[in-house]
Amino acid sequence: MNTNSILIVDDESSYLDLLKGLLNDEGYKDIITETNPLKVFDILDSRNIDLVLCDIYMPEMDGMELLEKLTEKFPHIPVIMVTAVNDVKTALKAIDRGAYEFITKPPDIDRLFLTINRALEHRLLSLERDTLREIRELHRKKWKKDFADIVTESPLMHKVFELAAIFAPTNETILITGETGTGKDLIAKKIHNLSPRSSKPFVVVNLVSITPTLFESELFGYEKGSFTGASNEKIGYFESANGGTIFLDEIGEMPKELQGKLLRAIQYNEIYRIGSSKPVKLNTRIIAATNKDLMEAINKNEFRADLYYRLTRGFINLPPLRKRNGDIRLLANYFLTAGNLIYNKNIMGFTEKALAELNSYPFPGNVRELENIILNCVAKTKDKTFIEKVNLLPFSANEKLSGYKNEEDLLLTIDEAVKKHIIKIMEYTNQNIQKAAAILGISERTLQRRLQEIRKKK
Ligand SMILES: Nc1ncnc2c1ncn2[C@@H]1O[C@H](COP(=O)(O)OP(=O)(O)OP(=O)(O)O)[C@@H](O)[C@H]1O
Ligand SMILES: [Mg+2]
C-alpha cells in the first residue's frame, strides 16, 4: 500500500470517481477529490497532501491560476496538470509556471502512474535537499557566532569553522595541520570549548619539548617507588586530561620509537602508569597538530601510518595567511587595535603604501608573524600618526643567502644540509629565532631543539 495522499481537483465528478478508482487499484488509498478549486487551499491548510492532480479548465477558477498560487504557497507539493485538450502550448506554460508535469485526458494509465511516482520521488528529494540546506544555514549562523573571535573573512577559513563545528560535539580524534602560525592552537582550543567537554581540562602537550627518556612518565605518569626518586605517584598528561581533551602539539616531530607508545594509548584509550601492570581506562579526547606533511613523513618511514590513521578521524587543514583573501588587511587592523591598547596609544591606521607592502609579503610565519610585525610597528610609531612603513624581512636576493657554491656543498648528507641551512638562516636573521623559524617553516620550539642538537654535535 502507498501512504501518500493525493488530491485531485476537477470539475467533472465522474472523472474524479474514475481516477480515484484507478489509483485505489494501484495501491494509492488516500485519495481526496474536489470539484471546486476554491476549496483547495482549505484542504491543503487542514491536512497533509503529497501531490496534486489538477484540471486546467474549470469554471470557478482557471487551473493555471490555481497552479501559480499552489506553487507559491506550497512549493514542496508537486502539481501534475491534466486537461482534455492535447494543447502543447498550455502544457509548456504550465511547466513554466511550476507544474511538475502535464498529462492529457483521458490519461494513458501507465504514463499517469509513472508520472505520479516520479513526482512523489522528486518531492522527497527536494524536501531532503531543503532540509539539508536549512540545517546547513542554521549551522552557519551558529558557527558565525561561535568563531567570532577568530578574525577572518576568507571562505577557506569559513570551511575550517564549518568542519570544526561538526567535529566539536563528537569524541573523534582530530588532526589539525597547517604552516606555523596559522592558528592550529587556536582551533584546537575552540573545538574543546565548543564540545560537551568544555568544563573539563584542556591539556596541551608539546611533544618536542619532552625529553624522549621522560616521555612515558610525562604522558602516562608513574607509581610511587617505580624507580629511584619516585617518592610519590605522578599523574601523567593523559590522565590529567581525563574527561576533557589532550592536545598533542607538534606530533610530526615525535621520534618514531615513541610513536608506538602513543598509538596504544590512543587505540585503547587506556594507559599504564610506569611501575603498574593495571591499565587505567580513560575518557580523553585527542586532538593533534603538526606543520609537517605527515604523508611525506610516512613515505620516508619517519611516521607510523597506523598512528596517522588513528589520529585522523577528523582532519582540518588551516590555509596559510597568503591564501586568505582580505585577511592581511583585516588582521593588521585587528592587531593595530590590540597594539593601541597594549601601548596605550592611538595610532590612526596604515598608509596605503604600508598596506600594499603587507599585502605583497608572503608571511611564512603567518598570523603570528603579522601579529608581531604590527605590534612592533605600534610600539615604534609616534602616537596619533599613521603606520607608514612595516618592518618586513626582505625576500629578495640577499648576499647572506647566496651560498652552497662550493663543491663540498654538493657532497652534504641531508642532515648536514639541514644543519647548514639552519645556521645560514640564523645568520641571515641575526639570530632571531622567531624570524628564522618563520622562514624555515617550523615552530620556534622545534628550531630551538634543532639548535640544541647542532650545538651538542659541535
Ligand atoms: N584568525 C585569527 N584571528 C586572531 N588571532 C589569530 C588568528 N589566527 C591566529 N591568531 C593568533 O596568532 C598566533 C598564532 O596562532 P597559533 O599559536 O594558534 O598558531 P599555530 O598554527 O599553532 O602555530 P605553530 O605551528 O607555530 O604552533 C596566536 O597568538 C593566535 O592567537
Ligand atoms: Mg601551535
Side-chain angles (χ1 to χ4, degrees), residues 149-152 157 161 178-187 206 247 249-250 289-291 318 324 327 331 334-335 365-369 371 442-445:
D149 53 333
I150 302 185
V151 182
T152 184
M157 283 301 284
F161 297 165
E179 291 178 14
T180 180
T182 44
K184 298 185 292 294
D185 283 52
L186 209 60
I187 292 289
N206 191 287
F247 177 46
D249 203 5
E250 314 245 18
T290 181
N291 52 24
L318 291 180
R324 303 181 197 173
D327 276 11
L331 280 160
Y334 171 77
F335 291 130
N366 293 288
V367 184
R368 184 184 295 111
E369 188 182 8
E371 180 177 9
I442 56 179
S443 72
E444 289 168 38
R445 282 197 210 99

